[in-house]
Amino acid sequence: MNKAGQQDPSGYFLIEEVFFNDLRDPSAIDYSKPILDWLKNSKDEALKKWECIVSGEMKQKQKALLGSASISHLPQFKAVDMDKMRFCDLRFRLGAGYLYCHQGDCKHVIVVRDMRLIHPEDVQNRATYPITTFQLKLRFRKCSVCKIYRAEKVTVDDKWAPMNPCYFCKNCYYMLHYANGALLYDEFSVYDYHHE
Ligand SMILES: [Zn+2]
Ligand SMILES: [Zn+2]
């Protein structure tokens, strides 16, 4: 994203009813604003969607039959600046799925899975927290053609490729698609590939 000049420093965590907006970068924008505006300006639509989410399809059918009055209320969503909050300020439920959204609409579910008291063998110095206890290893694919070199390109809907999508090292990619420096056919998409 940095390389393509499309890095967007904005983002938010939605935990329970609070948007924690990442506004540390001066160019970051408040992603929660259009959502909160929509909640305010389209209350009926928002409430309908909310009811669908909380009661599920079955209840909706029951309600249509029985015509019971709505009793659910929209949560009182609000927004705060993320950098003014600490982890100990959060109110959350263990195991509940919360949302992290960044880079426009890239969404991740975050879950606080476990909580416990500090043990004697834990680092006792508060200042060292938060501590990373697990880091996913980066996975690098090999070229699907030579199966020797690390892949640097990936093609999609490429009829000359043995699979879709297909991963190529630079050598194999240029050998298959180019002759004397000229592209032989272009009815496919190609992207730079770095790692999983
Ligand atoms: Zn993402
Ligand atoms: Zn190769």
Side-chain angles (χ1 to χ4, degrees):
M1 286 301 186
N2 262 335
K3 219 165 135 189
Q6 293 187 354
Q7 168 66 21
D8 179 350
S10 323
Y12 66 79
F13 289 90
L14 174 60
I15 297 172
E16 292 296 324
E17 298 168 8
V18 185
F19 288 91
F20 296 90
N21 288 306
D22 184 357
L23 300 170
R24 291 170 299 168
D25 192 291
S27 66
I29 56 166
D30 178 348
Y31 278 173
S32 72
K33 189 162 186 310
I35 303 170
L36 294 171
D37 284 348
W38 175 76
L39 282 166
K40 208 166 75 190
N41 301 326
S42 317
K43 261 202 183 113
D44 291 345
E45 191 190 349
L47 189 61
K48 241 184 228 158
K49 284 189 196 283
W50 180 252
E51 281 177 351
C52 276
I53 293 164
V54 293
S55 61
E57 205 184 331
M58 197 59 209
K59 284 253 178 71
Q60 288 294 306
K61 280 180 188 155
Q62 279 178 0
K63 213 167 86 176
L65 284 171
L66 302 168
S68 68
S70 156
I71 45 150
S72 58
H73 297 283
L74 268 178
Q76 292 295 308
F77 288 105
K78 60 172 193 162
V80 297
D81 289 2
M82 184 192 77
D83 57 303
K84 298 204 174 71
M85 306 300 285
R86 293 165 303 165
F87 193 80
C88 61
D89 300 322
L90 297 179
R91 297 181 61 85
F92 59 84
R93 286 168 294 142
L94 282 183
Y98 299 119
L99 185 68
Y100 171 58
C101 176
H102 69 134
Q103 200 60 49
D105 60 354
C106 183
K107 292 174 183 135
H108 305 250
V109 172
I110 59 159
V111 176
V112 179
R113 196 185 57 188
D114 206 0
M115 194 156 82
R116 63 168 170 80
L117 292 171
I118 196 158
H119 294 172
E121 59 270 23
D122 289 324
V123 180
Q124 302 292 313
N125 182 357
R126 272 184 107 110
T128 53
Y129 290 86
I131 294 176
T132 307
T133 56
F134 176 77
Q135 178 70 55
L136 203 68
K137 278 227 176 77
L138 293 182
R139 191 171 152 239
F140 300 93
R141 276 179 197 263
K142 281 193 171 165
C143 169
S144 318
V145 180
C146 65
K147 299 190 168 62
I148 297 171
Y149 297 111
R150 192 181 272 185
E152 289 187 50
K153 298 271 179 199
V154 54
T155 63
V156 178
D157 298 332
D158 180 356
K159 64 177 186 231
W160 288 357
M163 59 226 3
N164 190 22
C166 189
Y167 298 85
F168 292 92
C169 69
K170 256 194 183 143
N171 278 340
C172 295
Y173 176 74
Y174 286 103
M175 256 187 333
L176 181 67
H177 297 94
Y178 282 75
N180 302 318
L183 188 63
L184 295 172
Y185 101 113
D186 65 357
E187 287 145 45
F188 62 94
S189 312
V190 60
Y191 306 94
D192 287 339
Y193 169 81
H194 302 287
H195 55 76
E196 306 290 281

